Coordinates of all heavy atoms in Angstrom, one line a residue:
M1 N 15.2 15.1 -7.8 CA 13.9 14.5 -8.4 C 12.8 14.8 -7.4 O 12.9 14.5 -6.2 CB 14.1 13.0 -8.5 CG 12.8 12.2 -8.9 SD 13.1 10.5 -9.3 CE 13.7 9.8 -7.8
S2 N 11.8 15.5 -7.8 CA 10.7 15.8 -7.0 C 9.5 14.9 -7.4 O 9.3 14.6 -8.6 CB 10.3 17.3 -7.1 OG 9.8 17.5 -8.4
N3 N 8.7 14.5 -6.4 CA 7.6 13.7 -6.7 C 6.4 14.2 -5.9 O 6.5 14.8 -4.9 CB 7.8 12.2 -6.5 CG 8.2 11.9 -5.0 OD1 7.6 12.4 -4.1 ND2 9.2 11.1 -4.9
L4 N 5.2 13.9 -6.5 CA 4.0 14.4 -6.0 C 2.9 13.2 -6.1 O 2.8 12.7 -7.2 CB 3.5 15.6 -6.8 CG 2.1 16.2 -6.4 CD1 2.2 16.8 -5.0 CD2 1.8 17.2 -7.5
V5 N 2.2 12.9 -5.0 CA 1.2 11.9 -5.0 C -0.2 12.6 -5.0 O -0.4 13.5 -4.2 CB 1.3 11.0 -3.8 CG1 0.1 10.0 -3.8 CG2 2.6 10.2 -3.8
E6 N -1.0 12.3 -6.0 CA -2.3 12.9 -6.1 C -3.4 11.9 -6.3 O -3.2 10.8 -6.9 CB -2.4 13.8 -7.4 CG -1.5 15.0 -7.3 CD -1.6 15.9 -8.6 OE1 -1.9 15.3 -9.7 OE2 -1.4 17.1 -8.5
D7 N -4.5 12.1 -5.6 CA -5.7 11.2 -5.8 C -6.3 11.7 -7.2 O -6.5 12.8 -7.4 CB -6.6 11.4 -4.7 CG -7.8 10.4 -4.7 OD1 -7.8 9.5 -5.6 OD2 -8.7 10.5 -3.9
N8 N -6.6 10.7 -8.0 CA -7.3 10.9 -9.2 C -8.7 10.2 -9.2 O -8.8 9.1 -9.7 CB -6.5 10.5 -10.4 CG -7.1 10.8 -11.8 OD1 -8.4 11.0 -11.8 ND2 -6.4 10.8 -12.8
P9 N -9.7 10.8 -8.5 CA -11.0 10.1 -8.3 C -11.6 9.7 -9.6 O -12.3 8.7 -9.7 CB -11.8 11.0 -7.6 CG -11.0 12.2 -7.2 CD -9.7 12.1 -8.0
A10 N -11.4 10.4 -10.7 CA -12.0 10.1 -12.0 C -11.5 8.7 -12.5 O -12.2 8.0 -13.2 CB -11.7 11.2 -13.0
K11 N -10.3 8.4 -12.2 CA -9.7 7.1 -12.6 C -9.6 6.1 -11.4 O -9.1 5.0 -11.6 CB -8.3 7.3 -13.2 CG -8.4 8.1 -14.5 CD -7.0 8.1 -15.2 CE -7.1 8.7 -16.6 NZ -5.8 8.7 -17.3
N12 N -10.1 6.5 -10.3 CA -10.0 5.6 -9.1 C -8.6 5.1 -8.8 O -8.4 3.9 -8.7 CB -11.0 4.4 -9.2 CG -12.4 4.8 -8.9 OD1 -12.8 5.9 -8.8 ND2 -13.3 3.8 -8.8
R13 N -7.7 6.1 -8.7 CA -6.3 5.7 -8.4 C -5.6 6.9 -7.8 O -5.9 8.0 -8.1 CB -5.6 5.1 -9.7 CG -5.4 6.1 -10.8 CD -4.9 5.5 -12.0 NE -4.3 6.4 -13.0 CZ -3.8 6.1 -14.1 NH1 -3.8 4.8 -14.5 NH2 -3.3 7.0 -14.9
F14 N -4.6 6.5 -7.1 CA -3.6 7.5 -6.6 C -2.4 7.5 -7.6 O -2.0 6.4 -8.1 CB -3.0 7.2 -5.2 CG -4.0 7.5 -4.1 CD1 -4.9 6.6 -3.7 CD2 -4.0 8.8 -3.6 CE1 -5.8 6.9 -2.6 CE2 -4.9 9.1 -2.5 CZ -5.8 8.2 -2.1
E15 N -1.9 8.6 -8.0 CA -0.9 8.7 -9.0 C 0.3 9.4 -8.4 O 0.2 10.3 -7.6 CB -1.4 9.5 -10.3 CG -2.6 8.8 -10.9 CD -3.1 9.7 -12.1 OE1 -2.9 10.9 -12.1 OE2 -3.9 9.1 -12.9
I16 N 1.5 9.0 -8.8 CA 2.7 9.7 -8.4 C 3.4 10.3 -9.7 O 3.5 9.6 -10.7 CB 3.7 8.8 -7.7 CG1 4.9 9.6 -7.1 CG2 4.2 7.6 -8.5 CD1 5.7 8.9 -6.0
L17 N 3.7 11.5 -9.6 CA 4.3 12.3 -10.6 C 5.8 12.5 -10.2 O 6.0 13.0 -9.1 CB 3.6 13.6 -10.9 CG 2.1 13.5 -11.2 CD1 1.6 14.9 -11.4 CD2 1.9 12.7 -12.5
V18 N 6.7 12.2 -11.1 CA 8.1 12.5 -10.9 C 8.6 13.4 -11.9 O 8.5 13.1 -13.1 CB 9.0 11.2 -10.9 CG1 10.4 11.5 -10.8 CG2 8.5 10.2 -9.8
D19 N 8.9 14.6 -11.5 CA 9.3 15.7 -12.5 C 8.2 15.8 -13.6 O 8.5 15.9 -14.7 CB 10.7 15.4 -13.1 CG 11.8 15.3 -12.1 OD1 11.7 16.1 -11.1 OD2 12.8 14.6 -12.3
D20 N 7.0 15.9 -13.1 CA 5.8 16.1 -14.0 C 5.5 14.9 -14.9 O 4.6 15.1 -15.8 CB 5.9 17.4 -14.8 CG 6.0 18.6 -13.9 OD1 5.3 18.6 -12.9 OD2 6.7 19.6 -14.3
A21 N 6.1 13.8 -14.7 CA 5.8 12.6 -15.5 C 5.1 11.6 -14.7 O 5.5 11.4 -13.5 CB 7.1 12.0 -16.1
L22 N 4.1 10.9 -15.2 CA 3.4 9.9 -14.4 C 4.3 8.7 -14.3 O 4.7 8.1 -15.2 CB 2.1 9.4 -15.2 CG 1.3 8.3 -14.5 CD1 0.8 8.8 -13.1 CD2 0.1 7.9 -15.4
A23 N 4.7 8.4 -13.0 CA 5.7 7.4 -12.8 C 5.0 6.1 -12.2 O 5.6 5.0 -12.3 CB 6.7 7.9 -11.7
G24 N 3.8 6.2 -11.7 CA 3.1 5.0 -11.2 C 1.8 5.4 -10.7 O 1.4 6.6 -10.6
F25 N 1.0 4.3 -10.4 CA -0.3 4.5 -9.8 C -0.7 3.3 -8.9 O -0.1 2.2 -9.1 CB -1.4 4.8 -10.9 CG -1.6 3.6 -11.8 CD1 -2.5 2.6 -11.4 CD2 -0.9 3.4 -12.9 CE1 -2.8 1.5 -12.2 CE2 -1.1 2.3 -13.7 CZ -2.0 1.3 -13.4
S26 N -1.6 3.6 -8.0 CA -2.2 2.5 -7.2 C -3.7 2.6 -7.4 O -4.3 3.6 -6.9 CB -1.8 2.6 -5.8 OG -2.2 1.5 -5.1
A27 N -4.3 1.6 -8.0 CA -5.8 1.7 -8.3 C -6.6 1.2 -7.0 O -6.1 0.4 -6.2 CB -6.1 0.7 -9.4
Y28 N -7.8 1.7 -6.9 CA -8.6 1.4 -5.7 C -10.1 1.4 -6.1 O -10.5 1.9 -7.1 CB -8.4 2.4 -4.6 CG -8.7 3.8 -4.9 CD1 -10.0 4.3 -4.9 CD2 -7.7 4.8 -5.2 CE1 -10.4 5.6 -5.1 CE2 -8.1 6.1 -5.5 CZ -9.4 6.5 -5.5 OH -9.7 7.8 -5.7
L29 N -10.8 0.8 -5.2 CA -12.3 0.8 -5.2 C -12.7 1.5 -3.9 O -12.1 1.2 -2.9 CB -12.9 -0.6 -5.3 CG -12.5 -1.5 -6.5 CD1 -12.9 -2.9 -6.2 CD2 -13.1 -0.9 -7.7
L30 N -13.8 2.3 -4.0 CA -14.3 2.9 -2.7 C -15.5 2.1 -2.2 O -16.4 1.7 -3.0 CB -14.7 4.3 -3.0 CG -13.6 5.4 -3.1 CD1 -14.2 6.7 -3.4 CD2 -12.8 5.4 -1.8
R31 N -15.4 1.8 -0.9 CA -16.5 1.2 -0.2 C -16.9 2.1 1.0 O -16.3 1.9 2.1 CB -16.1 -0.2 0.3 CG -15.8 -1.2 -0.8 CD -17.0 -1.6 -1.6 NE -16.7 -2.5 -2.7 CZ -16.7 -2.2 -3.9 NH1 -16.8 -0.9 -4.3 NH2 -16.4 -3.0 -4.9
G32 N -17.7 3.2 0.7 CA -17.9 4.2 1.8 C -16.6 4.9 2.0 O -16.0 5.5 1.1
D33 N -16.1 4.9 3.3 CA -14.9 5.6 3.6 C -13.7 4.6 3.6 O -12.6 5.0 4.0 CB -15.0 6.4 4.9 CG -15.1 5.4 6.1 OD1 -15.4 4.2 5.9 OD2 -15.0 5.9 7.2
V34 N -13.9 3.4 3.0 CA -12.9 2.4 2.9 C -12.3 2.4 1.5 O -13.1 2.3 0.6 CB -13.4 1.0 3.3 CG1 -12.3 0.0 3.2 CG2 -13.9 1.0 4.8
V35 N -11.0 2.5 1.4 CA -10.3 2.5 0.1 C -9.7 1.1 0.0 O -8.9 0.7 0.7 CB -9.2 3.5 0.1 CG1 -8.4 3.5 -1.3 CG2 -9.7 4.9 0.3
V36 N -10.2 0.3 -1.0 CA -9.7 -1.0 -1.3 C -8.7 -0.9 -2.4 O -9.0 -0.7 -3.6 CB -10.9 -2.0 -1.7 CG1 -10.3 -3.4 -1.9 CG2 -12.0 -2.0 -0.7
F37 N -7.4 -1.1 -2.0 CA -6.3 -1.0 -3.0 C -6.3 -2.3 -3.8 O -6.2 -3.4 -3.2 CB -5.0 -0.7 -2.3 CG -4.8 0.7 -1.9 CD1 -5.1 1.1 -0.6 CD2 -4.4 1.7 -2.8 CE1 -5.0 2.4 -0.2 CE2 -4.3 3.0 -2.4 CZ -4.6 3.4 -1.1
T38 N -6.3 -2.3 -5.1 CA -6.4 -3.5 -5.9 C -5.2 -3.8 -6.8 O -4.9 -4.9 -7.1 CB -7.7 -3.4 -6.8 OG1 -7.5 -2.2 -7.7 CG2 -9.0 -3.3 -6.0
H39 N -4.5 -2.7 -7.1 CA -3.3 -3.0 -8.1 C -2.4 -1.7 -8.0 O -2.9 -0.6 -8.0 CB -3.9 -3.2 -9.5 CG -2.8 -3.4 -10.5 ND1 -2.1 -4.5 -10.6 CD2 -2.4 -2.5 -11.5 CE1 -1.2 -4.4 -11.6 NE2 -1.4 -3.2 -12.2
T40 N -1.1 -2.0 -8.0 CA -0.1 -0.9 -8.1 C 0.8 -1.2 -9.2 O 1.3 -2.3 -9.4 CB 0.6 -0.8 -6.7 OG1 -0.3 -0.6 -5.7 CG2 1.7 0.3 -6.8
E41 N 1.2 -0.1 -10.0 CA 2.1 -0.3 -11.1 C 3.1 0.9 -11.0 O 2.7 2.1 -10.8 CB 1.4 -0.2 -12.4 CG 1.0 -1.5 -13.0 CD 0.4 -1.3 -14.4 OE1 1.0 -0.6 -15.2 OE2 -0.6 -2.0 -14.6
V42 N 4.4 0.6 -11.2 CA 5.4 1.7 -11.4 C 6.0 1.5 -12.7 O 6.4 0.4 -13.1 CB 6.5 1.6 -10.2 CG1 7.6 2.6 -10.5 CG2 5.8 1.8 -8.9
D43 N 6.1 2.6 -13.5 CA 6.7 2.6 -14.8 C 8.1 2.1 -14.7 O 8.9 2.4 -13.8 CB 6.7 4.0 -15.4 CG 7.2 4.1 -16.8 OD1 8.4 3.9 -17.0 OD2 6.3 4.4 -17.7
Q44 N 8.5 1.2 -15.7 CA 9.9 0.6 -15.6 C 11.0 1.6 -15.5 O 12.0 1.3 -14.8 CB 10.1 -0.2 -16.9 CG 9.3 -1.5 -16.9 CD 9.7 -2.4 -18.1 OE1 10.0 -1.9 -19.2 NE2 9.7 -3.7 -17.9
R45 N 10.8 2.8 -16.0 CA 11.9 3.8 -16.0 C 12.1 4.3 -14.5 O 13.2 4.9 -14.2 CB 11.5 5.1 -16.8 CG 11.5 4.8 -18.3 CD 10.9 6.0 -19.0 NE 9.6 6.3 -18.6 CZ 9.0 7.5 -18.7 NH1 9.6 8.5 -19.2 NH2 7.7 7.6 -18.3
F46 N 11.1 4.1 -13.6 CA 11.2 4.6 -12.3 C 11.3 3.4 -11.2 O 11.2 3.7 -10.0 CB 10.0 5.4 -12.0 CG 9.9 6.7 -12.9 CD1 9.1 6.7 -14.0 CD2 10.7 7.8 -12.6 CE1 9.0 7.8 -14.8 CE2 10.7 8.9 -13.4 CZ 9.8 8.9 -14.5
Q47 N 11.5 2.2 -11.7 CA 11.5 1.1 -10.7 C 12.9 1.1 -10.0 O 13.9 1.6 -10.5 CB 11.3 -0.2 -11.4 CG 9.8 -0.4 -11.8 CD 9.5 -1.7 -12.5 OE1 10.4 -2.5 -12.7 NE2 8.3 -1.9 -12.8
N48 N 12.9 0.6 -8.8 CA 14.0 0.5 -7.9 C 14.6 1.8 -7.5 O 15.8 2.0 -7.3 CB 15.1 -0.4 -8.5 CG 14.6 -1.8 -8.8 OD1 14.0 -2.4 -8.0 ND2 14.8 -2.3 -10.1
M49 N 13.7 2.8 -7.5 CA 14.1 4.2 -7.1 C 13.3 4.7 -5.9 O 13.4 5.9 -5.6 CB 13.9 5.1 -8.3 CG 14.8 4.8 -9.5 SD 14.4 5.8 -11.0 CE 14.5 7.5 -10.4
G50 N 12.5 3.8 -5.3 CA 11.7 4.2 -4.1 C 10.4 4.9 -4.5 O 9.7 5.4 -3.6
V51 N 10.1 4.9 -5.8 CA 8.8 5.5 -6.3 C 7.6 4.8 -5.7 O 6.6 5.4 -5.3 CB 8.8 5.6 -7.8 CG1 7.5 6.1 -8.3 CG2 9.9 6.6 -8.3
G52 N 7.6 3.5 -5.8 CA 6.5 2.7 -5.3 C 6.2 3.0 -3.8 O 5.0 3.2 -3.4
G53 N 7.2 3.0 -3.0 CA 7.1 3.3 -1.6 C 6.5 4.7 -1.3 O 5.7 4.9 -0.5
A54 N 7.1 5.6 -2.1 CA 6.6 7.0 -1.9 C 5.2 7.1 -2.3 O 4.4 7.9 -1.7 CB 7.5 7.9 -2.8
L55 N 4.8 6.4 -3.4 CA 3.4 6.4 -3.8 C 2.4 5.9 -2.7 O 1.5 6.5 -2.4 CB 3.2 5.6 -5.1 CG 1.8 5.2 -5.5 CD1 1.0 6.4 -5.9 CD2 1.9 4.3 -6.8
I56 N 2.8 4.7 -2.2 CA 1.9 4.1 -1.2 C 1.9 5.0 0.1 O 0.8 5.2 0.7 CB 2.3 2.7 -0.9 CG1 2.3 1.8 -2.1 CG2 1.5 2.1 0.2 CD1 1.0 1.9 -2.9
R57 N 3.1 5.5 0.5 CA 3.1 6.4 1.7 C 2.2 7.6 1.5 O 1.4 7.9 2.4 CB 4.6 6.8 2.0 CG 4.7 7.7 3.2 CD 6.1 8.0 3.6 NE 6.9 8.6 2.4 CZ 7.8 8.1 1.7 NH1 8.2 6.8 2.0 NH2 8.4 8.7 0.7
G58 N 2.3 8.2 0.3 CA 1.5 9.4 0.1 C 0.0 9.1 0.0 O -0.8 9.8 0.5
A59 N -0.3 7.9 -0.6 CA -1.7 7.5 -0.6 C -2.3 7.2 0.8 O -3.4 7.7 1.1 CB -1.9 6.3 -1.5
L60 N -1.5 6.5 1.6 CA -2.0 6.2 2.9 C -2.1 7.4 3.8 O -3.0 7.5 4.6 CB -1.0 5.1 3.6 CG -1.0 3.8 2.9 CD1 0.1 2.9 3.6 CD2 -2.4 3.1 3.0
D61 N -1.2 8.3 3.6 CA -1.3 9.6 4.4 C -2.5 10.4 4.0 O -3.2 11.0 4.9 CB 0.0 10.5 4.1 CG 1.2 9.9 4.8 OD1 1.1 9.0 5.7 OD2 2.3 10.4 4.5
Q62 N -2.9 10.4 2.7 CA -4.1 11.1 2.3 C -5.3 10.4 2.8 O -6.3 11.1 3.3 CB -4.1 11.2 0.8 CG -3.1 12.2 0.3 CD -3.2 12.4 -1.2 OE1 -4.2 12.5 -1.8 NE2 -2.0 12.4 -1.9
V63 N -5.4 9.1 2.8 CA -6.5 8.3 3.4 C -6.7 8.6 4.9 O -7.8 8.9 5.3 CB -6.4 6.8 3.1 CG1 -7.5 6.1 3.9 CG2 -6.4 6.5 1.6
R64 N -5.5 8.6 5.6 CA -5.6 8.9 7.0 C -6.1 10.3 7.3 O -6.9 10.6 8.1 CB -4.2 8.7 7.6 CG -4.1 9.2 9.1 CD -2.8 8.9 9.7 NE -2.9 7.5 10.2 CZ -1.9 6.7 10.2 NH1 -0.7 7.0 9.8 NH2 -2.0 5.5 10.7
A65 N -5.6 11.3 6.5 CA -6.0 12.7 6.7 C -7.5 12.9 6.5 O -8.0 13.8 7.2 CB -5.2 13.6 5.7
R66 N -8.1 12.1 5.7 CA -9.6 12.3 5.5 C -10.4 11.3 6.4 O -11.6 11.2 6.2 CB -9.9 12.3 4.1 CG -9.6 11.1 3.3 CD -9.9 11.3 1.8 NE -9.6 10.2 1.0 CZ -9.1 10.2 -0.2 NH1 -8.7 11.3 -0.7 NH2 -8.9 9.0 -0.9
G67 N -9.7 10.6 7.3 CA -10.4 9.8 8.2 C -10.9 8.4 7.7 O -11.7 7.8 8.2
G68 N -10.2 8.0 6.6 CA -10.6 6.7 5.9 C -9.9 5.5 6.5 O -9.0 5.7 7.3
R69 N -10.2 4.4 5.9 CA -9.5 3.1 6.2 C -9.2 2.5 4.9 O -9.6 2.9 3.9 CB -10.5 2.2 7.0 CG -11.1 2.8 8.3 CD -10.1 2.9 9.5 NE -9.5 1.7 9.9 CZ -10.1 0.8 10.7 NH1 -11.3 1.0 11.1 NH2 -9.5 -0.3 11.1
V70 N -8.3 1.4 5.0 CA -7.9 0.8 3.8 C -8.0 -0.7 3.9 O -8.0 -1.3 5.0 CB -6.4 1.1 3.4 CG1 -6.2 2.6 3.2 CG2 -5.5 0.6 4.4
V71 N -8.2 -1.4 2.7 CA -8.1 -2.8 2.6 C -7.0 -3.1 1.5 O -7.2 -2.7 0.4 CB -9.4 -3.5 2.2 CG1 -9.3 -5.0 1.9 CG2 -10.5 -3.2 3.2
P72 N -5.9 -3.6 1.9 CA -4.7 -3.8 1.0 C -4.8 -5.1 0.2 O -4.1 -6.1 0.5 CB -3.5 -3.8 1.9 CG -4.0 -4.3 3.2 CD -5.5 -3.9 3.3
Q73 N -5.8 -5.2 -0.8 CA -5.8 -6.4 -1.6 C -4.6 -6.5 -2.5 O -4.2 -7.6 -2.9 CB -7.1 -6.4 -2.4 CG -8.4 -6.7 -1.6 CD -9.6 -6.8 -2.5 OE1 -9.6 -6.4 -3.7 NE2 -10.7 -7.2 -1.9
C74 N -4.0 -5.4 -2.9 CA -2.8 -5.4 -3.7 C -1.7 -5.9 -2.9 O -1.4 -5.3 -1.8 CB -2.6 -3.9 -4.2 SG -1.0 -3.7 -4.9
P75 N -0.9 -6.9 -3.4 CA 0.2 -7.4 -2.6 C 1.3 -6.3 -2.3 O 1.9 -6.4 -1.2 CB 0.8 -8.5 -3.5 CG -0.3 -8.8 -4.4 CD -1.2 -7.6 -4.6
F76 N 1.5 -5.4 -3.1 CA 2.5 -4.4 -2.9 C 2.1 -3.5 -1.7 O 2.9 -3.2 -0.9 CB 2.7 -3.5 -4.2 CG 3.9 -2.6 -4.0 CD1 5.2 -3.0 -4.3 CD2 3.7 -1.2 -3.7 CE1 6.3 -2.1 -4.2 CE2 4.8 -0.4 -3.6 CZ 6.1 -0.8 -3.8
V77 N 0.8 -3.1 -1.7 CA 0.3 -2.3 -0.6 C 0.4 -3.1 0.7 O 0.8 -2.5 1.8 CB -1.1 -1.7 -0.9 CG1 -1.7 -1.0 0.3 CG2 -1.1 -0.9 -2.1
A78 N 0.0 -4.3 0.7 CA 0.0 -5.2 1.9 C 1.4 -5.3 2.4 O 1.7 -5.2 3.6 CB -0.6 -6.5 1.6
A79 N 2.4 -5.5 1.5 CA 3.8 -5.6 1.9 C 4.3 -4.3 2.5 O 5.0 -4.3 3.5 CB 4.7 -6.1 0.8
Y80 N 3.9 -3.2 1.9 CA 4.3 -1.9 2.5 C 3.8 -1.7 3.9 O 4.6 -1.3 4.8 CB 3.8 -0.8 1.5 CG 4.3 0.6 2.0 CD1 5.6 1.1 1.5 CD2 3.7 1.4 2.9 CE1 6.1 2.3 2.0 CE2 4.2 2.6 3.3 CZ 5.4 3.0 2.9 OH 5.9 4.2 3.3
I81 N 2.5 -2.0 4.1 CA 2.0 -1.9 5.5 C 2.6 -2.8 6.4 O 2.9 -2.4 7.6 CB 0.4 -2.1 5.4 CG1 -0.2 -0.9 4.6 CG2 -0.1 -2.1 6.8 CD1 -1.7 -1.0 4.4
D82 N 3.0 -4.0 6.0 CA 3.7 -5.0 6.9 C 5.0 -4.4 7.3 O 5.5 -4.6 8.4 CB 3.9 -6.3 6.2 CG 2.7 -7.2 6.1 OD1 1.7 -6.9 6.9 OD2 2.6 -8.1 5.4
K83 N 5.7 -3.7 6.4 CA 7.0 -3.2 6.7 C 7.0 -1.8 7.4 O 8.0 -1.4 7.9 CB 7.8 -3.0 5.4 CG 8.2 -4.3 4.7 CD 9.0 -4.0 3.4 CE 9.2 -5.3 2.6 NZ 9.5 -5.0 1.2
H84 N 5.8 -1.2 7.4 CA 5.6 0.1 8.0 C 4.4 0.0 9.0 O 3.3 0.5 8.6 CB 5.4 1.2 7.0 CG 6.6 1.3 6.1 ND1 6.8 0.6 4.9 CD2 7.7 2.1 6.2 CE1 7.9 0.9 4.4 NE2 8.5 1.8 5.1
P85 N 4.6 -0.6 10.2 CA 3.5 -0.8 11.1 C 2.7 0.4 11.5 O 1.6 0.4 12.1 CB 4.1 -1.6 12.2 CG 5.5 -1.4 12.1 CD 5.8 -1.1 10.7
E86 N 3.3 1.6 11.3 CA 2.7 2.9 11.7 C 1.4 3.1 10.8 O 0.5 3.9 11.2 CB 3.6 4.1 11.5 CG 4.0 4.4 10.1 CD 5.3 3.7 9.7 OE1 5.7 2.6 10.2 OE2 6.0 4.2 8.8
Y87 N 1.2 2.3 9.8 CA 0.0 2.3 9.0 C -1.0 1.2 9.3 O -2.1 1.2 8.7 CB 0.3 2.3 7.5 CG 1.0 3.6 7.0 CD1 2.4 3.6 6.7 CD2 0.4 4.8 6.9 CE1 3.1 4.7 6.3 CE2 1.0 6.0 6.5 CZ 2.3 5.9 6.3 OH 3.0 7.1 5.9
A88 N -0.6 0.3 10.1 CA -1.5 -0.9 10.4 C -2.9 -0.5 11.0 O -3.9 -1.2 10.7 CB -0.8 -1.8 11.4
D89 N -2.9 0.6 11.7 CA -4.2 1.1 12.2 C -5.2 1.5 11.2 O -6.4 1.6 11.4 CB -4.0 2.2 13.2 CG -3.4 3.5 12.6 OD1 -2.4 3.3 11.9 OD2 -4.0 4.6 12.7
L90 N -4.8 1.7 9.9 CA -5.7 2.1 8.8 C -6.4 0.9 8.2 O -7.4 1.1 7.5 CB -4.9 2.8 7.7 CG -4.3 4.2 8.0 CD1 -3.5 4.7 6.8 CD2 -5.4 5.1 8.4
V91 N -5.9 -0.3 8.5 CA -6.4 -1.5 7.8 C -7.8 -1.8 8.4 O -8.0 -2.0 9.6 CB -5.5 -2.7 7.9 CG1 -6.1 -4.0 7.3 CG2 -4.1 -2.4 7.3
A92 N -8.8 -2.0 7.5 CA -10.1 -2.3 7.8 C -10.4 -3.7 7.3 O -9.8 -4.2 6.4 CB -11.1 -1.4 7.2
V93 N -11.4 -4.4 7.9 CA -11.9 -5.7 7.4 C -13.3 -5.5 6.9 O -14.2 -5.0 7.6 CB -11.9 -6.7 8.6 CG1 -12.4 -8.1 8.1 CG2 -10.5 -6.9 9.2
L94 N -13.4 -5.8 5.6 CA -14.7 -5.7 5.0 C -15.6 -6.9 5.4 O -15.2 -8.0 5.5 CB -14.6 -5.7 3.5 CG -14.0 -4.4 2.8 CD1 -14.0 -4.5 1.3 CD2 -14.8 -3.2 3.2
P95 N -16.9 -6.6 5.7 CA -17.8 -7.7 6.1 C -18.1 -8.6 4.9 O -17.9 -8.3 3.8 CB -19.1 -6.9 6.5 CG -19.0 -5.6 5.9 CD -17.5 -5.3 5.6

């Protein structure tokens, strides 16, 4: 199973494709260079397969690569960052 995480700015979300099928997404709002994650969904066919974690890891890696920060309003993203402290430095506090 191959998967690919892509930013879809037209829909304000990161999407994960598994074997060319949309398996899930994490929606966001942009506040300058801060990405506010608001909601994450994984298609039922792909749940409990690590797809959600791969999606968030890919999204956070892309935000880091472009020098951005994140606000994890989505509980799934917040839990992922809690379990993976290597991403804690990306968390920003909005004024």
Side-chain angles (χ1 to χ4, degrees):
M1 175 170 61
S2 66
N3 59 45
L4 175 69
V5 176
E6 295 181 331
D7 187 5
N8 183 341
K11 292 189 175 181
N12 282 10
R13 67 189 195 179
F14 285 92
E15 299 173 341
I16 188 164
L17 304 175
V18 175
D19 299 329
D20 296 325
L22 179 64
F25 67 87
S26 190
Y28 62 79
L29 302 170
L30 281 180
R31 299 286 179 261
D33 65 347
V34 176
V35 178
V36 182
F37 285 97
T38 58
H39 178 71
T40 301
E41 271 185 42
V42 173
D43 187 289
Q44 284 187 329
R45 296 173 297 158
F46 298 100
Q47 289 183 358
N48 302 311
M49 296 170 58
V51 170
L55 167 61
I56 302 309
R57 182 174 56 250
L60 293 174
D61 287 345
Q62 289 182 45
V63 172
R64 173 173 276 144
R66 57 188 184 220
R69 306 286 300 279
V70 302
V71 174
Q73 285 184 352
C74 167
F76 188 83
V77 176
Y80 185 88
I81 292 172
D82 283 345
K83 290 178 189 163
H84 299 87
E86 65 270 24
Y87 292 107
D89 63 308
L90 291 177
V91 176
V93 178
L94 289 179

